[in-house]
């Protein structure tokens, strides 16, 4: 979900400051935000927070359809969108997107309740995942916001369905700066990677290995970065990356 249709505003020619025009090379083309910036610059425009789509034809925004996902249209905008999590009473959490209080219908912006696709909305999202919360040192119970602790003493918003809606802050830090042990890899790293053979040839290089750990890093990066991954075998003799 890191791609959408290009949308550009401008101050000259057919572009308008608050009315966006799509700049797609073919029907349904979706691009990254960086490509969108370049596309807008190519026609003398810029990404923007727009009030209306113009010159969009079949690209104009309509209502979201869960049954016909291919027909849903998303544009790039400079509007903010805060990411939150919704925590269930059992500790499972769902990712929620909280855009400005703006509604888009048929390409037109109006103030009102924000339209958010169901799979990331605060009231309809049912895509819960298990979370490894910290545990109380004495009771062993997991510590997380719940209605029993008033959604972390009011830090989170209590919802009507007995869940807590919380602001979050993402942290993406480097874990290892030198060769770790197998135990360190298995206990401290929680996100998996693909086998190095599945990447394009030359994208990753073999950094080094011990009897228990192999290290792979991007070809043009240092040995240990956030993109470095490790190959180990767990206690079930399963190979993990």
């Amino acid at each position: 979900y890191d791609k959408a249709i290009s949308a550009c505003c401008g101050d000259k020619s057919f572009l308008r400051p608050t009315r966006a025009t799509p700049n797609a090379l073919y029907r349904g083309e979706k691009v990254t935000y960086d490509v969108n910036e370049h596309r807008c610059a190519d026609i003398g425009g810029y990404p923007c927070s727009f009030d209306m789509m113009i010159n969009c034809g079949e690209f104009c925004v309509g209502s979201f359809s869960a049954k016909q996902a291919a027909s849903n249209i998303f544009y790039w905008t400079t509007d903010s969108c805060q990411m939150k999590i919704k925590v269930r009473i059992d500790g499972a959490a769902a990712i929620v997107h909280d855009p400005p209080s703006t509604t888009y219908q048929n390409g037109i912006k109006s103030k009102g309740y924000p339209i958010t696709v169901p799979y990331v909305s605060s009231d309809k999202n049912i895509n819960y995942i298990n979370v490894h919360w910290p545990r109380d040192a004495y009771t062993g119970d997991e510590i997380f916001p719940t209605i029993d602790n008033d959604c972390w003493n009011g830090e989170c918003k209590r919802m009507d369905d007995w869940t807590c809606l919380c602001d979050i802050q993402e942290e993406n830090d480097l874990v290892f700066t030198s060769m770790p042990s197998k135990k360190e890899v298995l206990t401290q790293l929680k996100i998996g990677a693909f086998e190095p053979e599945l990447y394009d040839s030359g994208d990753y290089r073999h950094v080094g290995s011990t009897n228990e750990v192999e290290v792979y890093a991007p070809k043009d990066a240092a040995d240990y970065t956030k993109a470095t991954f490790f190959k180990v075998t767990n206690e079930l003799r399963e190979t993990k990356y």
Side-chain angles (χ1 to χ4, degrees), residues 213-231:
V213 181
E214 292 186 29
V215 185
Y216 297 87
K219 62 178 181 180
D220 297 325
D223 290 350
Y224 293 91
T225 68
K226 297 175 185 177
T228 300
F229 66 90
F230 306 86
K231 176 183 177 181

Side-chain angles (χ1 to χ4, degrees), residues 98-134:
D98 186 23
S101 295
T102 305
T103 298
Y104 286 88
Q105 285 286 12
N106 298 321
I108 301 175
K109 178 195 286 188
S110 62
K111 293 297 181 182
Y113 190 78
I115 290 180
T116 308
V117 291
Y119 49 83
V120 289
S121 69
S122 61
D123 58 338
K124 296 180 180 179
N125 190 352
I126 59 173
N127 299 309
Y128 286 90
I129 57 176
N130 292 325
V131 177
H132 296 284
W133 297 100

Side-chain angles (χ1 to χ4, degrees), residues 5 14 53 57 74 77 146 153 178 203 226:
I5 293 176
F14 60 92
M53 288 299 302
F74 301 93
T77 172
T146 174
N153 299 319
S178 60
D203 279 358
K226 297 175 185 177

Side-chain angles (χ1 to χ4, degrees), residues 6-94:
S6 177
C8 309
C9 295
D11 304 304
K12 59 182 180 180
S13 186
F14 60 92
L15 298 173
R16 299 290 184 271
T18 59
R19 296 189 174 187
T21 297
N23 187 20
L25 300 182
Y26 56 87
R27 183 180 183 274
E29 182 194 25
K30 296 179 176 63
V31 299
T32 64
Y33 189 79
D34 288 342
V35 171
N36 180 52
E37 288 185 310
H38 289 298
R39 289 280 179 85
C40 293
D42 289 343
I43 58 175
Y46 46 81
C48 57
S49 173
F50 52 86
D51 294 326
M52 180 184 294
M53 288 299 302
I54 59 175
N55 305 319
C56 53
E58 60 187 329
F59 292 105
C60 283
V61 174
S63 298
F64 177 82
S65 172
K67 295 182 179 180
Q68 298 179 336
S71 67
N72 294 319
I73 295 175
F74 301 93
Y75 297 102
W76 280 118
T77 172
T78 56
D79 284 337
S80 62
C81 183
Q82 187 176 4
M83 187 175 294
K84 301 185 177 185
I85 61 169
K86 186 176 182 180
V87 185
R88 211 163 54 187
I89 197 168
D90 63 354

